[in-house]
Amino acid sequence: DEGYWVPSDPSREDFDDLSGVSDLQLKPEELTLLSLEPAWARPVPPLLEATVDEVFWLSPSQLLSEPLWDYTMCADTSLGAEVRELFAKAVKTPLPADQAQVIIDGLGQDVKLVYHCGLTPKKLPELVEHNPQIAIEVLLKLMPSSQISNYFGALVNMEMSLHSLEVVNRLTTSVDLPPEFIHLYISNC
């Protein structure tokens, strides 16, 4: 039988009417000391006066109503993406002069773009046949690379055509080619 706390001496004068206590349906978890705390009156804190240097931050007078956009942000990557897209087309079909010029200009602006355009020695013969001018520019940009011998090997092993002769002729007049390449190319003619 669980009982609730009831005063032991009901005859005391401060406990005159205890008839209402038995009618209360109180649970033990409701009888805590926190329920007996007085409600503290908490006044609203006073506003502090703003100093001269704080007023600027509260109401900036130089605030622009429009955001300032940086239109140059990420602009250079669109050129690389366009060159890679045109390069994929150049390997498969002949390009119009304006699109070929976009590739040549892109390679001139970014020297490392030639390494990211997707050209491999296996694709070089197709590029030479469809777009010899682009092939010349790409090979000239690849000359300092350690992989240029692979591209020369692809040129030597490809079928002889007017375009391949044009590419090799322009390379021999533009840069110093390795003598082994020239001898191998001539012997395969």
Side-chain angles (χ1 to χ4, degrees):
D1 179 53
E2 226 180 273
Y4 298 106
W5 181 79
V6 178
S8 60
D9 185 15
S11 64
R12 289 181 29 193
E13 51 190 59
D14 52 334
F15 295 109
D16 287 342
D17 186 19
L18 291 177
S19 62
V21 172
S22 63
D23 293 339
L24 289 175
Q25 299 293 325
L26 295 176
K27 298 179 183 167
E29 57 267 4
E30 292 176 345
L31 296 173
T32 64
L33 291 177
L34 294 176
S35 63
L36 299 175
E37 283 186 13
W40 295 99
R42 293 180 180 94
V44 177
L47 292 177
L48 297 175
E49 292 296 320
T51 62
V52 175
D53 57 342
E54 289 176 328
V55 175
F56 172 76
W57 292 105
L58 294 176
S59 57
S61 60
Q62 300 163 348
L63 184 66
L64 300 174
S65 59
E66 291 288 322
L68 294 175
W69 296 105
D70 185 7
Y71 293 105
T72 62
M73 198 154 99
C74 300
D76 57 339
T77 58
S78 63
L79 175 66
E82 184 180 8
V83 168
R84 282 190 293 274
E85 183 180 318
L86 287 174
F87 210 86
K89 282 184 187 177
V91 172
K92 297 175 184 172
T93 60
L95 292 180
D98 59 334
Q99 290 180 345
Q101 193 60 43
V102 168
I103 292 177
I104 293 169
D105 292 343
L107 292 175
Q109 290 177 8
D110 187 4
V111 178
K112 297 196 182 248
L113 187 60
V114 72
Y115 301 107
H116 305 291
C117 62
L119 181 67
T120 61
K122 290 182 181 179
K123 293 180 183 178
L124 182 64
E126 297 170 5
L127 182 65
V128 168
E129 288 305 315
H130 295 299
N131 294 290
Q133 187 63 33
I134 296 173
I136 292 166
E137 292 297 323
V138 167
L139 288 171
L140 288 174
K141 299 292 182 195
L142 286 172
M143 285 304 288
S145 169
S146 63
Q147 300 174 349
I148 192 66
S149 59
N150 297 335
Y151 291 98
F152 285 155
L155 267 177
V156 166
N157 295 328
M158 71 179 286
E159 261 187 56
M160 186 60 54
S161 69
L162 182 62
H163 292 292
S164 68
L165 284 171
E166 178 185 351
V167 168
V168 172
N169 181 35
R170 281 284 309 274
L171 285 176
T172 55
T173 58
S174 300
V175 293
D176 290 331
L177 293 176
E180 312 87 47
F181 166 70
I182 297 171
H183 293 303
L184 281 173
Y185 188 79
I186 293 171
S187 67
N188 284 347
C189 288

